[in-house]
Amino acid sequence: MTSTSNIQSVQSESAVYAPSSHFAKAMPSLHVPDMATYEKLHTQALNNPENFWGDIAKEFHWYKPWNTVLEWNCPDAKWFSGGTTNACFNAVDRLVANGQGDDVAILWEGEPAGDNGDTPEIRKITYKELQNEVSRVANTLKRMGVRKGDVVTLYMGMVPELAFAVLACARIGAPHSVIFGGFAASAIVDRVHDAKSKVIVTCDGAWRRGSIVPLKENVDKACEQLPEVKNIVVLKRVGNSINMKSGRDQWWHDAVAKETTSCACEEMEAEELLFLLYTSGSTGKPKGIRHTTGGYMIYTAHTAKLTFNLLPRAGQIFWCTADIGWITGHSYVIYGILANGVTTFMYEGAPNAPKEDRFWRIVQRHKITHFHTAPTAIRAFMKWGDALPAAHDLSSVKLLGSVGEPINPEAWMWYREKIGGDCCPIMDTFWQTESGGHLITPLPGCTPMKPGSCTLPFPGVDAAIVDEQGNELPANSGGLLVIRKPWPGMLRGIHGDRERYIETYWGKIPGMYLAGDGARRDGDGFFWIMGRIDDVLNVSGHRLGTAEVESSLVGSKLVVEAAVVGMPHEIKGTGIAAFCVPHPDYAHAADDALRQKLMLHVTNDIGAIARPDMIRFTTGLPKTRSGKIMRRLLRDVAAGKETTQDVTTLEDFNVLAKLRESDE
Ligand code: PRX
């Protein structure tokens, strides 16, 4: 079959790929070998979640067993109430105790690697070494006065020490709040402030495509507004010149080296906070999503086990390309993979450093067996050409993963053929920061696959498509994606904002968790995600609130009003389009220079991921008579489409005409 015929066939949804027999043959065993087993598990889990999740939790280490598996008082769930455990113990010490101490836990490759990418720094950290390193970091934090419940902020590059720090926090019961290293100083200010965090762990800098991201400098800038930060630990990674403030800042290599490798794990109540992770919502202020110890740990470990068919000591090397600053990195670079006793591979830098074939060199060099990335990356690989993956031996790869945004069928086909040797199953995993782990996903060797569909709910996830009143819709009707029953990995709230938690997720359709995505279910019960229904954009698989970008644009003082919408983008999936009304002082010169200034402002203010792809200047924004910006109309204009929206309520018809006229 040629790739063109594949692409044509998949444009009709009838294309179904049988669960890969190739995968089944390549595995010593399958956790869920067929659909009959899946159906049985799913029904059992829905009918009796207590037994189902209780049995799974028994595979982990508990200091004290739970009294009840689930107490559900919508919207509050308590999982494994009365039980005490430790997530670090279960991801590290338990494996050492089970005889995996000498197995590689983390395999890491640094970005700088010579002209061809062939001489990188490589580190292998066994489970035993990980236990030692994590304990040293944990002791360092304790020495600085960090106690159970104190939030520690981590703002680092993709280095093993970031994983050590995450696990060290878990070890001593100090919730971590990881901030993506691509965010700028203001993001640090908001998050540190909201979490009341007094300790930051950072690096001097991070490597990104051969240049240095000045992490410590960003922290210093943020700390001008954060007098509450008392201690900063700095890992030397790139050797750039930085300021060290005496009394506040200390080097990782000084502080950590002098600590011992012995540090007992803190006994944590199952419902005690494991971490906060900030994510964008529909207001300008990111939400601190709360995840607790027992439920998150069990859920990420179990979803990782089934979705990727993880098996300890079977030679599996799992590479999820996500940054640890996002939920995917938390769940499927660190917790879920390590808890299964499988080697997690981490790469420090960019896919095109020094050249566009870097990922394929890595796959070949380390014999990666599970490769998991985002559709935006796949589209970039497609653009870079088939010759690059073809020039490398990718035969070690047995399973592919996709996450973060809907995967278009063309990308799905390319991924399967060019990376997956035309036989690897693709796990298109739908989930969210809030869900902790997979919600809807195929299981390898089990679920038939339809390119572009995330297929069926994970066992026990009661996903449905409903109308605004919560009535389930018939097959193929677009509607709201909801989850009707609690699951162990679900968020336990938004930090410091109970009302927003209730209103965002549970208030719109009482009793149901509203995911915020539009979706439909086809006649076979397969889910097709259509995209966000709120003012959240999914740019390159990263969540970004339109309000965040708007407030940054207005904050530049160069414009008086701004409206941000998504627009189709070949690589990013969704690009950022901004419609701006310039400040009167600049109105006469609303030109390319102003556009560049605004783009730079947003990049410095939020980070490069928020940089608008298109800025249009206008004298006014189209609004309804009640003053609401007509975003759908702006989306049509940004996409270059004739608007389908009723414009009879448009306040000023001329605005629409002018928007169309304005050049980019
Ligand atoms: O819109 C959905 C999209 O990403 C959103 C969640 O973003 P975030 O919390 O940053 O987590 C991303 C990684 C789990 C969802 O509401 N999304 C995520 N995975 C998929 C997806 N859309 C379609 N298909 C997916 N597989």
Side-chain angles (χ1 to χ4, degrees):
M1 204 163 23
T2 66
S3 49
T4 332
S5 69
N6 273 342
I7 287 168
Q8 279 162 357
S9 68
V10 297
Q11 299 210 318
S12 87
E13 249 173 47
S14 53
V16 181
Y17 284 76
S20 167
S21 56
H22 182 268
F23 181 77
K25 277 191 214 120
M27 292 292 123
S29 63
L30 289 181
H31 294 304
V32 186
D34 49 44
M35 282 302 285
T37 311
Y38 163 77
E39 299 287 358
K40 203 172 105 201
L41 287 176
H42 191 38
T43 312
Q44 278 172 354
L46 288 178
N47 291 346
N48 195 339
E50 285 85 356
N51 277 1
F52 182 83
W53 290 109
D55 283 347
I56 290 163
K58 283 183 198 145
E59 293 166 21
F60 294 80
H61 171 268
W62 294 82
Y63 300 99
K64 222 167 64 191
W66 53 89
N67 302 323
T68 47
V69 173
L70 170 64
E71 286 170 26
W72 178 228
N73 187 5
C74 184
D76 299 307
K78 283 190 183 159
W79 285 91
F80 311 110
S81 202
T84 58
T85 184
N86 184 285
C88 175
F89 188 94
N90 276 288
V92 184
D93 303 53
R94 186 173 55 94
L95 290 300
V96 175
N98 287 349
Q100 285 200 253
D102 294 332
D103 294 354
V104 177
I106 298 178
L107 178 60
W108 174 86
E109 181 168 314
E111 188 190 87
D115 292 347
N116 278 328
D118 272 339
T119 51
E121 185 187 352
I122 291 169
R123 290 169 65 186
K124 285 185 184 171
I125 297 128
T126 65
Y127 275 91
K128 181 69 199 148
E129 288 164 346
L130 183 59
Q131 188 183 34
N132 290 342
E133 291 308 316
V134 167
S135 299
R136 277 189 216 279
V137 182
N139 283 332
T140 310
L141 294 173
K142 285 211 298 207
R143 187 183 292 272
M144 288 178 339
V146 175
R147 296 284 171 264
K148 183 174 171 180
D150 295 344
V151 178
V152 176
T153 298
L154 310 176
Y155 178 70
M156 303 172 77
M158 279 291 281
V159 286
E161 286 80 359
L162 171 52
F164 303 166
V166 163
L167 292 163
C169 289
R171 195 169 191 88
I172 61 171
H176 48 81
S177 165
V178 185
I179 303 178
F180 171 54
F183 280 132
S186 70
I188 306 174
V189 175
D190 292 347
R191 287 158 173 78
V192 167
H193 200 64
D194 189 78
K196 300 193 178 54
S197 178
K198 295 193 188 71
V199 177
I200 301 180
V201 184
T202 189
C203 302
D204 52 356
W207 290 115
R208 188 75 194 168
R209 214 166 286 122
S211 42
I212 290 172
V213 184
L215 297 177
K216 175 61 165 60
E217 200 181 306
N218 291 345
V219 169
D220 287 343
K221 221 183 283 170
C223 284
E224 286 167 17
Q225 294 175 60
L226 294 168
E228 64 265 41
V229 172
K230 299 287 178 258
N231 287 287
I232 300 178
V233 181
V234 187
L235 177 82
K236 184 176 259 179
R237 168 60 191 146
V238 299
N240 56 337
S241 118
I242 56 162
N243 293 319
M244 293 291 281
K245 187 169 163 184
S246 120
R248 186 194 66 180
D249 302 352
Q250 52 187 316
W251 286 107
W252 174 293
H253 55 258
D254 291 338
V256 176
K258 62 174 181 253
E259 298 296 340
T260 70
T261 56
S262 145
C263 173
C265 292
E266 187 79 34
E267 192 172 327
M268 300 290 286
E269 297 282 335
E271 280 301 334
E272 279 181 309
L273 191 63
L274 178 62
F275 66 86
L276 291 176
L277 183 60
Y278 286 82
T279 188
S280 296
S282 46
T283 72
K285 192 173 169 275
K287 320 179 260 201
I289 301 299
R290 294 172 64 90
H291 280 291
T292 55
T293 305
Y296 174 84
M297 172 184 97
I298 302 298
Y299 198 67
T300 50
H302 190 63
T303 48
K305 178 176 173 180
L306 264 51
T307 304
F308 305 123
N309 202 57
L310 297 185
L311 298 160
R313 317 204 97 166
Q316 295 182 338
I317 302 187
F318 187 95
W319 182 14
C320 166
T321 67
D323 192 286
I324 290 171
W326 307 103
I327 190 70
T328 310
H330 283 56
S331 301
Y332 303 115
V333 175
I334 303 183
Y335 287 109
I337 310 304
L338 293 175
N340 277 286
V342 164
T343 302
T344 186
F345 176 81
M346 275 174 80
Y347 167 57
E348 180 178 33
N352 52 354
K355 299 201 181 108
E356 282 85 6
D357 65 351
R358 182 64 185 271
F359 274 17
W360 319 130
R361 281 179 192 270
I362 291 177
V363 169
Q364 177 174 318
R365 180 160 36 240
H366 299 285
K367 300 199 171 30
I368 301 294
T369 56
H370 293 58
F371 179 74
H372 188 18
T373 195
T376 185
I378 300 167
R379 289 190 294 268
F381 304 147
M382 289 168 79
K383 198 168 146 201
W384 294 339
D386 300 357
L388 299 181
H392 298 87
D393 179 6
L394 308 182
S395 61
S396 59
V397 176
K398 301 290 179 276
L399 177 146
L400 298 170
S402 175
V403 62
E405 49 178 320
I407 179 165
N408 46 312
E410 292 78 0
W412 196 99
M413 286 311 312
W414 186 92
Y415 197 30
R416 178 175 163 106
E417 282 179 15
K418 310 295 179 210
I419 310 303
D422 217 0
C423 57
C424 287
I426 299 180
M427 299 303 106
D428 176 357
T429 60
F430 168 84
W431 58 294
Q432 310 177 299
T433 306
E434 293 88 338
S435 73
H438 306 144
L439 289 172
I440 307 178
T441 177
L443 303 180
C446 167
T447 317
M449 290 159 290
K450 301 187 187 187
S453 165
C454 52
T455 76
L456 298 168
F458 190 81
V461 173
D462 189 17
I465 308 295
V466 300
D467 64 16
E468 288 183 358
Q469 283 70 48
N471 304 308
E472 190 155 6
L473 292 170
N476 284 316
S477 319
L480 307 171
L481 175 62
V482 293
I483 314 292
R484 297 178 295 196
K485 285 196 165 80
W487 66 100
M490 65 190 271
L491 78 165
R492 301 297 197 272
I494 296 175
H495 194 59
D497 202 341
R498 179 152 176 90
E499 247 165 61
R500 194 174 174 194
Y501 169 63
I502 296 171
E503 190 201 303
T504 311
Y505 303 108
W506 304 96
K508 303 216 168 73
I509 308 173
M512 297 186 192
Y513 170 84
L514 187 71
D517 283 288
R520 80 190 159 79
R521 222 173 167 172
D522 68 18
D524 297 326
F526 279 44
F527 284 83
W528 299 77
I529 306 296
M530 286 146 55
R532 300 288 308 186
I533 49 163
D534 48 12
D535 291 325
V536 171
L537 304 179
N538 193 325
V539 181
S540 303
H542 297 318
R543 249 162 94 162
L544 207 56
T546 52
E548 286 171 74
V549 187
E550 284 164 4
S551 68
S552 173
L553 286 163
V554 173
S556 72
K557 307 262 189 314
L558 300 167
V559 300
V560 289
E561 212 180 357
V564 165
V565 294
M567 64 184 229
H569 189 286
E570 198 194 346
I571 302 289
K572 298 180 177 182
T574 303
I576 302 174
F579 294 86
C580 300
V581 181
H583 187 277
D585 291 353
Y586 301 96
H588 62 282
D591 59 7
D592 221 41
L594 184 58
R595 198 168 278 127
Q596 293 309 324
K597 265 193 204 162
L598 284 167
M599 288 187 177
L600 189 66
H601 172 81
V602 177
T603 307
N604 291 338
D605 193 28
I606 306 178
I609 57 166
R611 182 181 188 271
D613 296 281
M614 181 186 92
I615 295 180
R616 287 200 187 182
F617 296 114
T618 167
T619 49
L621 293 170
K623 291 188 184 151
T624 61
R625 290 206 180 99
S626 62
K628 273 180 81 175
I629 294 174
M630 301 180 85
R631 289 176 184 280
R632 239 179 66 202
L633 190 149
L634 289 178
R635 276 196 286 271
D636 287 347
V637 174
K641 280 197 279 190
E642 276 303 309
T643 186
T644 50
Q645 194 177 5
D646 175 9
V647 289
T648 49
T649 52
L650 183 60
E651 190 194 22
D652 179 359
F653 287 94
N654 290 332
V655 169
L656 178 58
K658 282 189 201 135
L659 279 173
R660 285 251 159 68
E661 278 164 22
S662 64
D663 61 341
E664 281 177 31

